[in-house]
């Protein structure tokens, strides 16, 4: 029995091990399907902690992971925080210079890395930013050819260690997790999750007003574990004592369909792009989704058509949720109130396509341009501000960003979300715009400001701006608007610019088009007025036509 009465993660695992010891954890890996139970899981978590202890990892140290969703990554989820260290999940889809910044800023001591992601890590790992990393651990039972050093494979790393570990009583204020967000301009910003924040988030997501997870469920998080802890699902699934299914490296729709059918998945979660892909696959192939009851969709807006197709063709409920890295991440969930259950289908889908109702435990307000709170009438809009036990009140070592994104008032600190919303009479929040200068493609951020700077670095570009154009599969794709200089060769400039971006950024950051304009529209204060461009070109899907979806895929960049 854990000694502490503090709000920490350890009791969740302890309970699962005691009460549901033979519930399964199933994982798709490079080496095929791995299957074991909570008892073995807890043993391996203890072995991992002992191994980290032996190489000198101490309470308060940060340990990074550069991994997809699988059982070994899940072992780090409890192993690292339970020993009082901090689990830092790193997004491998980021440009190299962001990865360097993140590892140096977090001062990671050890890095766990997937085999398929080795080539992606090897470049940044050459830089001084990685000097503090004293051990690389490759997720598997062997080490492929690599320049990482010193390096060991995960199974050798843990194998000789005891399955008993003398867990410390960790303070609930101790940082347990960390995730960087690239949601706004400049370098990525670190968000630390204390033990208490992760505990509170888990407790909020367990009941029906959150996600609602029962011990009889089979839960498959498709949302990456490097994305805000896969929306906390590895923790909440453990707290519920439910079965876990992890889809492994770069899962294709066929892999997801197979796991759902073979493991009897009841609940899954991911960004809209993933489910649009699964539906496409299901058109051409025989799939059995009969076990599936609910899909949590968030990260970008869940299209109404997606909600409808899952309901009508598969009898699967889409639970649309909104959240942020800064909120660990869940903020609102579009559950229908009891009186809405009997509404006509179309009216229900309308409601479900909104971002939803605030999760119990949080507070929110919507502030307009004049600093006034807007009424809940479904029309007036403003920026959404939130606060609560699992909402951060600062970024890691970034005072200038804190000033922009947080507001102190008499009784606490509010997070300014950067999402522009209205709230209807029933209390459902709906995102109508984004104050942040970013594009979200397939659930991953692209910084429009970084692309603009890269474009404007070209001698033949007078001004450039990049906006997100709606895209059926990726929700948004970047399109560049460029004002060429007088002497520019406009025959070759577009190609030159795209080549320059390809050389520096992952291929899914490359704009789908470069459009010449005479002038970038400006606001009264001289800033680029992207709203005007968005209004003008936002519906112009021709701009992103003819682009093979594979080329636009964030997940296409992983190996
Ligand atoms: P991240 O920190 O990467 O999780 O991104 C958080 C941001 O993603 C939010 O501030 C929103 O702009 C966007 N987002 C998250 N969930 C949704 C949703 N359900 N609908 C629309 N946008 C969303």
């Amino acid at each position: 029995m854990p000694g502490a009465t503090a709000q920490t993660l350890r009791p969740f695992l302890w309970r699962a091990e005691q009460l549901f010891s033979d519930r399964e954890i199933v994982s798709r890996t490079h080496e095929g399907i791995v299957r074991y139970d909570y008892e073995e899981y807890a043993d391996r978590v203890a072995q991992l902690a002992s191994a980290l202890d032996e190489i000198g990892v101490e309470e308060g140290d940060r340990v990074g992971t550069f991994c997809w969703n699988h059982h070994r990554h899940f072992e780090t989820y409890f192993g690292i925080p339970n020993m009082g260290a901090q689990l830092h999940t790193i997004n491998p889809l980021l440009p190299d210079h962001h990865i360097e910044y993140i590892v140096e800023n977090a001062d990671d001591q050890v890095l766990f890395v997937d085999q398929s992601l080795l080539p992606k890590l090897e470049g940044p790992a050459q830089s001084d930013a990685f000097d503090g990393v004293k051990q690389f651990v490759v997720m598997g039972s062997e080490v492929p050819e690599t320049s990482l050093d010193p390096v060991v494979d995960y199974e050798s790393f843990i194998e000789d260690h005891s399955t008993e570990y003398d867990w410390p009583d960790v303070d609930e204020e101790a940082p347990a997790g960390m995730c960087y967000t690239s949601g706004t301009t400049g370098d990525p910003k670190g968000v630390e999750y204390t033990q208490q924040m992760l505990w509170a988030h888990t407790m909020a997501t367990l009941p029906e007003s959150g996600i609602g997870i029962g011990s009889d469920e089979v839960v498959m998080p498709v949302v990456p574990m490097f994305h805000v802890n896969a929306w906390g699902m590895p923790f909440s699934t453990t707290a519920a004592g439910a079965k876990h299914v992890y889809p492994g490296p770069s899962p294709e729709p066929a892999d997801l369909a197979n796991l759902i059918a073979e493991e009897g998945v009841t609940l899954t979660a991911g960004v809209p792009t993933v489910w649009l892909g699964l539906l496409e696959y299901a058109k051409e192939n025989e799939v059995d989704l009969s076990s599936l009851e609910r899909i949590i969709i968030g990260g970008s807006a869940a299209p109404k058509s997606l909600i409808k197709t899952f309901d009508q063709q598969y009898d699967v409920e889409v639970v649309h949720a909104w959240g942020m890295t800064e909120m660990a991440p869940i903020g609102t969930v579009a559950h229908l109130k009891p009186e809405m259950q009997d509404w006509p289908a179309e009216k229900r889908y309308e409601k479900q396509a909104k971002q939803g109702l605030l999760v119990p435990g949080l507070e929110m307000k919507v502030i307009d341009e004049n600093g006034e709170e807007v009424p809940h009438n479904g029309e007036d809009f403003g920026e959404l501000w939130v606060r609560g036990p699992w909402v951060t009140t600062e970024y890691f070592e970034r005072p200038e960003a804190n000033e922009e994104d947080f507001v102190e008032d008499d009784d606490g600190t509010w997070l300014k979300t950067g999402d522009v919303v209205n709230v209807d009479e029933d209390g459902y929040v709906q995102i109508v715009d984004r104050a942040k200068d970013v594009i979200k493609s397939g659930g991953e951020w692209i910084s429009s400001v970084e692309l603009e700077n890269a474009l404007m670095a070209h001698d033949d570009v007078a001004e450039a701006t990049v906006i997100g154009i709606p895209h059926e599969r990726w929700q948004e794709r970047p399109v560049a608007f460029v004002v060429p200089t007088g002497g520019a060769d406009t025959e070759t400039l577009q190609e030159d610019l795209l080549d320059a971006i390809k050389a520096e950024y992952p291929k899914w950051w490359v704009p789908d088009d470069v459009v010449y304009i005479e002038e970038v529209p400006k606001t009264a204060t001289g800033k680029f007025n992207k709203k005007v461009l968005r209004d003008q070109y936002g519906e112009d899907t021709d701009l992103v036509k003819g682009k093979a979806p594979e080329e636009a895929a964030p997940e296409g960049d992983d190996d």
Side-chain angles (χ1 to χ4, degrees):
M1 166 86 188
T5 50
Q7 297 176 350
T8 63
L9 292 172
R10 186 151 60 97
F12 294 139
L13 175 56
W14 178 81
R15 178 178 179 273
E17 193 191 349
Q18 301 301 312
L19 304 186
F20 301 101
S21 60
D22 56 2
R23 277 280 196 294
E24 281 181 324
I25 292 146
V26 179
S27 174
R28 175 177 161 267
T29 73
H30 300 286
E31 300 137 336
I33 295 285
V34 172
R35 184 184 301 278
Y36 58 47
D37 58 21
Y38 276 119
E39 193 176 359
E40 190 174 342
Y41 172 76
D43 285 350
R44 286 171 59 88
V45 165
Q47 286 181 295
L48 171 63
S50 307
L52 288 169
D53 203 328
E54 188 174 287
I55 61 165
V57 171
E58 297 179 350
E59 285 188 40
D61 281 350
R62 258 170 240 112
V63 177
T65 63
F66 201 76
C67 304
W68 293 104
N69 296 11
H70 47 71
H71 67 295
R72 294 187 182 100
H73 200 182
F74 176 44
E75 288 164 13
T76 70
Y77 264 52
F78 277 96
I80 295 167
N82 283 5
M83 66 185 292
Q86 195 175 352
L87 168 73
H88 169 211
T89 53
I90 306 167
N91 181 346
L93 304 173
L94 292 174
D96 288 357
H97 60 281
H98 283 189
I99 293 169
E100 286 169 23
Y101 173 83
I102 284 173
V103 169
E104 185 167 35
N105 187 245
D107 190 22
D108 291 318
Q109 305 288 302
V110 178
L111 269 183
F112 291 87
V113 51
D114 274 8
Q115 278 184 38
S116 65
L117 295 170
L118 279 173
K120 176 73 186 167
L121 193 66
E122 280 167 345
Q126 305 290 319
S127 76
D128 296 347
F130 278 60
D131 283 355
V133 179
K134 57 186 173 207
Q135 181 72 60
F136 293 93
V137 184
V138 178
M139 292 304 207
S141 44
E142 57 184 25
V143 179
E145 186 67 36
T146 174
S147 59
L148 298 182
D149 183 48
V151 64
V152 61
D153 70 85
Y154 186 89
E155 294 304 323
S156 309
F157 184 61
I158 68 165
E159 75 185 343
D160 291 333
H161 290 278
S162 165
T163 54
E164 300 290 324
Y165 186 78
D166 187 14
W167 299 108
D169 282 339
V170 177
D171 194 305
E172 64 191 17
E173 296 300 324
M178 187 179 209
C179 187
Y180 281 73
T181 175
S182 309
T184 42
T185 54
D187 289 322
K189 294 174 292 190
V191 176
E192 292 196 290
Y193 307 118
T194 62
Q195 290 272 348
Q196 187 273 335
M197 284 168 76
L198 295 179
W199 183 91
H201 185 268
T202 305
M203 296 302 277
T205 50
L206 273 179
E208 275 182 7
S209 49
I211 292 176
I213 306 179
S215 62
D216 56 346
E217 301 245 25
V218 180
V219 183
M220 179 170 76
V222 181
V223 49
M225 291 170 82
F226 53 76
H227 248 170
V228 212
N229 305 319
W231 300 344
M233 293 187 94
F235 297 127
S236 48
T237 304
T238 306
K243 171 173 166 180
H244 301 240
V245 177
Y246 290 101
S250 317
E252 295 292 330
D255 301 313
L256 300 180
N258 287 342
L259 286 168
I260 291 169
E262 280 160 27
E263 302 302 331
V265 171
T266 59
L267 173 64
T268 181
V271 296
T273 301
V274 168
W275 310 114
L276 291 162
L278 183 64
L279 288 181
E280 273 305 303
Y281 175 81
K283 276 189 199 156
E284 307 284 322
N285 301 274
E286 195 65 18
V287 299
D288 174 8
L289 304 185
S290 58
S291 64
L292 199 56
E293 290 165 14
R294 287 170 303 148
I295 306 181
I296 315 294
I297 300 189
S300 295
K304 198 173 92 178
S305 55
L306 189 64
I307 299 172
K308 182 174 175 175
T309 308
F310 272 113
D311 182 42
Q312 298 195 343
Q313 292 184 20
Y314 297 98
D315 195 21
V316 171
E317 182 192 357
V318 166
V319 180
H320 186 196
W322 165 88
M324 294 176 77
T325 306
E326 289 85 339
M327 310 177 65
I330 286 184
T332 64
V333 186
H335 290 300
L336 294 175
K337 292 183 178 179
E339 64 272 22
M340 298 170 183
Q341 305 287 345
D342 298 329
W343 278 5
E346 284 300 325
K347 200 171 162 194
R348 276 190 279 122
Y349 304 144
E350 291 281 338
K351 243 352 175 206
Q352 290 175 287
K354 295 192 175 194
Q355 278 64 28
L357 299 170
L358 194 71
V359 169
L362 297 179
E363 288 175 87
M364 65 172 226
K365 55 185 177 183
V366 181
I367 302 294
D368 71 12
E369 280 176 350
N370 305 318
E372 302 293 330
E373 262 192 72
V374 307
H376 293 185
N377 56 13
E379 276 175 23
D380 289 313
F381 57 85
E383 187 182 12
L384 178 61
W385 293 14
V386 290
R387 68 179 176 189
W390 56 94
V391 182
T392 193
T393 53
E394 61 180 358
Y395 292 115
F396 179 69
E397 294 178 355
R398 290 291 291 280
E400 86 298 345
N402 290 343
E403 269 180 39
E404 239 173 70
D405 292 350
F406 298 94
V407 182
E408 300 263 352
D409 73 9
D410 295 344
D411 52 353
T413 303
W414 292 92
L415 166 69
K416 292 162 71 183
T417 66
D419 287 322
V420 178
V421 307
N422 65 44
V423 185
D424 68 20
E425 287 85 352
D426 298 312
Y428 286 74
V429 172
Q430 181 176 27
I431 297 189
V432 292
D433 200 2
R434 201 184 276 149
K436 300 172 269 199
D437 224 352
V438 280
I439 296 158
K440 210 171 200 191
S441 184
E444 298 286 341
W445 291 116
I446 295 173
S447 163
S448 50
V449 175
E450 270 202 51
L451 290 181
E452 284 161 8
N453 290 340
L455 293 167
M456 286 191 283
H458 195 289
D459 286 344
D460 292 345
V461 173
E463 279 182 340
T465 189
V466 178
I467 64 170
I469 300 280
H471 187 280
E472 204 177 311
R473 177 154 181 210
W474 305 107
Q475 277 76 60
E476 283 179 342
R477 289 294 305 148
V479 170
F481 293 84
V482 168
V483 182
T485 54
D489 179 352
T490 49
E491 290 284 298
T492 56
L493 182 59
Q494 285 157 315
E495 214 46 51
D496 281 1
L497 291 173
L498 292 175
D499 286 346
I501 292 188
K502 273 181 206 151
E504 218 182 312
Y505 291 95
K507 62 178 180 261
W508 60 277
W509 277 50
V510 178
D512 280 11
D513 208 344
V514 176
V515 179
Y516 294 138
I517 50 176
E518 280 179 15
E519 189 189 351
V520 177
K522 312 272 182 349
T523 64
T525 54
K527 286 190 194 161
F528 287 177
N529 192 343
K530 297 192 183 187
K531 191 167 180 329
V532 172
L533 281 175
R534 274 202 294 264
D535 290 346
Q536 209 170 333
Y537 294 96
E539 300 306 318
D540 188 355
T541 44
D542 273 359
L543 286 174
V544 290
K545 236 174 40 189
K547 195 80 181 170
E550 291 71 24
E551 289 174 45
E555 60 264 47
D557 198 60
D558 65 275
D559 48 24

